[in-house]
Amino acid sequence: MAFGIKRKELMEWKTNVEQGNIAFLTHYWLDDRFPGCNTVTKVGCNNIESLIKWGKKYGLEASWIHNDPIHPHFDLFGMKQKEILTKEEQWKQIEHFNL
């Protein structure tokens, strides 16, 4: 279950992904499979090769991509989420979600 984002933020993320940009979207999230994680960051790009190349910089495997036909993305959470958001200087998302 996702919550804590505005429709405008979601639409901006989708537009950026569809335009072939690497785009970040963080939101609150609850999933019993991942205890202790209450946020997730979706890093998307509809250019799969660009997304794979971006992910390799951070040790992410191409097989971890959620292969949505329009908005393919990596899901980041936990320590890896904070590490990548910091390296990508996504300060607004870090501050907003107290990561």
Side-chain angles (χ1 to χ4, degrees):
M1 176 187 305
F3 52 98
I5 58 171
K6 294 179 169 75
R7 180 171 177 76
K8 181 181 180 212
E9 293 169 310
L10 176 60
M11 299 311 292
E12 287 173 356
W13 180 82
K14 286 181 174 184
T15 298
N16 277 310
V17 170
E18 291 166 15
Q19 291 175 348
N21 300 317
I22 299 293
F24 297 81
L25 178 69
T26 302
H27 59 78
Y28 289 110
W29 173 70
L30 295 176
D31 189 318
D32 292 338
R33 297 173 296 167
F34 303 97
C37 295
N38 61 8
T39 61
V40 63
T41 298
K42 296 187 177 300
V43 182
C45 179
N46 75 349
N47 180 323
I48 294 294
E49 290 305 315
S50 292
L51 189 58
I52 290 170
K53 182 178 177 183
W54 177 87
K56 283 183 180 180
K57 292 190 317 187
Y58 298 107
L60 304 177
E61 300 288 332
S63 63
W64 299 346
I65 293 173
H66 179 92
N67 284 312
D68 182 284
I70 301 171
H71 305 106
H73 62 275
F74 286 106
D75 287 324
L76 308 176
F77 44 89
M79 295 303 296
K80 195 64 144 173
Q81 175 189 28
K82 183 170 184 177
E83 171 194 337
I84 292 173
L85 286 174
T86 300
K87 287 180 179 175
E88 291 285 332
E89 300 181 353
Q90 295 292 312
W91 309 123
K92 182 178 176 184
Q93 295 188 55
I94 292 168
E95 291 170 11
H96 180 78
F97 294 97
N98 298 314
L99 301 174

